[in-house]
Amino acid sequence: MRVQKMLASLAIALAMLVILLGAYTRLTDAGLACPDWPGCYGTMAIPQSTHVEQAALLYPDNPLEPHKARSEMVHRYFAGVLGCLIAALFVLSWRGRPRLRQLASGLLMLVIGQAALGMWTVTLALHPLVVVTHLLGGFSILTLLWLYRVELTYQAAQPVACGQGLPWLGNLACGVLLVQIALGGWTSANYAAMACVDLPVCQAGWQSQLDWAEAFHLPLGHASYEFGVLSKEARQTIQIAHRLGALMTALLVGAFALGLIRKGAALRPLGGLLLILLLVQLVLGVANIHLALPLANALAHNFVAAHLLVCCVVARRRIAWPSLSPLQAPEALRSQT
């Protein structure tokens, strides 16, 4: 059990790092810095400036940019290590409680899917649907890792008395948050983050410049989707949808957080944390527009979104499960191992 806890904690930290590295790679336009997969210009090592001529022979249409290739390969290295840790958790969980086996199996399937999506991100030249699915997969891995870690630490006890309203509100909050994260990914994948530079809505005359049909269809047939292929009107529409989604998310997630806080000491810390993360995320979203998408702020916006989802799902699970109580004391656990 101690080994599983250690590996799960390490995997959580590594998943956070992989999410940050993935966002950094995307935001610095390094997603196609390596034209092949899983290596980079025919090697598993990080290409250096001395390899420019050799890379040009292999891929004459894709000149090597060493600093971008470094970002992409470091991201792949850490993602590979995370996959190995999750595989180890799967093996260690095989004889554990059914819940642990289910979570570990889900994590293993997600990692395999993420590997395929990582390959398609390159081979399909940053197709927006692949990019968004890859983003959601990374967030889902982090969320399941936290649920796995919670399952290792707590066991079922008496249910939290919260009636039917709060669980339903939790379902809505988690659902709208997931949709909003997908909208944020769609905004980023289509390079629509700065399509509207005014607050709170958009530039003058935006109402007559919306194109919902183009904004949410699957663009096909392009050699590359880097820097976006949609029209200005479609990108504005995506940005407007993301802002409207932010409003809905703030209302539902905020209501869920306040509901948790009102239910007493057992749920108050989660509710408080959820509310703080929500407020920070809203501030970061406004700062993205006001400061013209600075890299550090955009990375923080991505990172907080992942933890907002984790906190919302864990809180919802807390009221869906019986109330959680700590497992045996460490001394008792050591006596069993």
Side-chain angles (χ1 to χ4, degrees):
M1 187 71 75
R2 282 180 297 177
V3 173
Q4 287 174 264
K5 286 183 179 181
M6 181 186 68
L7 288 179
S9 298
L10 182 59
I12 287 171
L14 198 54
M16 293 178 188
L17 180 58
V18 169
I19 286 173
L20 274 177
L21 288 171
Y24 180 83
T25 300
R26 184 173 66 255
L27 291 166
T28 55
D29 302 320
L32 294 179
C34 295
D36 49 345
W37 188 94
C40 192
Y41 288 94
T43 176
M44 292 300 295
I46 298 175
Q48 306 296 326
S49 56
T50 55
H51 300 147
V52 171
E53 292 184 4
Q54 179 184 353
L57 293 175
L58 290 171
Y59 296 93
D61 297 329
N62 299 91
L64 171 63
E65 297 180 80
H67 64 288
K68 290 187 177 182
R70 185 183 306 114
S71 299
E72 176 63 11
M73 285 306 291
V74 169
H75 177 229
R76 293 182 187 182
Y77 290 157
F78 279 104
V81 175
L82 176 60
C84 292
L85 281 177
I86 288 175
L89 287 175
F90 174 78
V91 173
L92 291 173
S93 303
W94 190 247
R95 294 186 178 181
R97 298 194 300 274
R99 177 66 181 167
L100 287 177
R101 291 199 303 270
Q102 293 168 4
L103 289 170
S105 299
L107 282 165
L108 187 63
M109 288 188 290
L110 277 173
V111 162
I112 294 171
Q114 280 293 87
L117 288 167
M119 177 185 66
W120 293 332
T121 297
V122 175
T123 59
L124 297 179
L126 300 181
H127 191 285
L129 181 61
V130 176
V131 173
V132 172
T133 308
H134 198 44
L135 172 75
L136 292 175
F139 283 22
S140 298
I141 286 174
L142 179 62
T143 302
L144 286 188
L145 281 170
W146 269 110
L147 289 175
Y148 184 94
R149 187 64 179 81
V150 168
E151 181 69 20
L152 286 172
T153 308
Y154 295 95
Q155 65 180 1
Q158 294 300 317
V160 175
C162 55
Q164 295 183 356
L166 193 59
W168 277 107
L169 184 57
N171 290 342
L172 289 173
C174 291
V176 75
L177 181 56
L178 191 61
V179 172
Q180 177 64 2
I181 289 171
L183 274 174
W186 193 251
T187 302
S188 178
N190 286 285
Y191 298 83
M194 295 304 298
C196 294
V197 295
D198 289 345
L199 290 169
V201 188
C202 204
Q203 297 84 252
W206 63 270
Q207 298 94 331
S208 62
Q209 299 178 8
L210 298 180
D211 190 341
W212 294 96
E214 184 185 1
F216 294 100
H217 88 295
L218 294 179
L220 300 172
H222 295 272
S224 175
Y225 297 88
E226 191 172 24
F227 307 120
V229 298
L230 300 183
S231 67
K232 173 187 174 183
E233 291 76 15
R235 297 188 201 202
Q236 285 185 353
T237 306
I238 293 171
Q239 179 62 225
I240 291 296
H242 186 50
R243 294 187 186 188
L244 293 175
L247 178 60
M248 183 63 68
T249 301
L251 291 174
L252 286 174
V253 176
F256 182 47
L258 292 174
L260 291 169
I261 292 171
R262 292 178 59 188
K263 286 301 177 182
L267 299 176
R268 188 174 294 123
L270 277 174
L273 178 59
L274 185 61
L275 189 59
I276 291 171
L277 287 172
L278 176 63
L279 293 174
V280 170
Q281 185 69 346
L282 291 173
V283 171
L284 289 171
V286 171
N288 270 342
I289 303 301
H290 185 68
L291 301 176
L293 202 67
L295 179 59
N297 197 88
L299 287 172
H301 194 54
N302 186 278
F303 193 66
V304 174
H307 288 81
L308 192 57
L309 179 63
V310 168
C311 188
C312 194
V313 171
V314 170
R316 175 61 186 88
R317 190 61 182 172
R318 181 73 184 266
I319 59 176
W321 281 341
S323 177
L324 301 178
S325 63
L327 280 172
Q328 298 164 297
E331 294 79 11
L333 184 60
R334 282 196 291 268
S335 68
Q336 292 182 4
T337 57

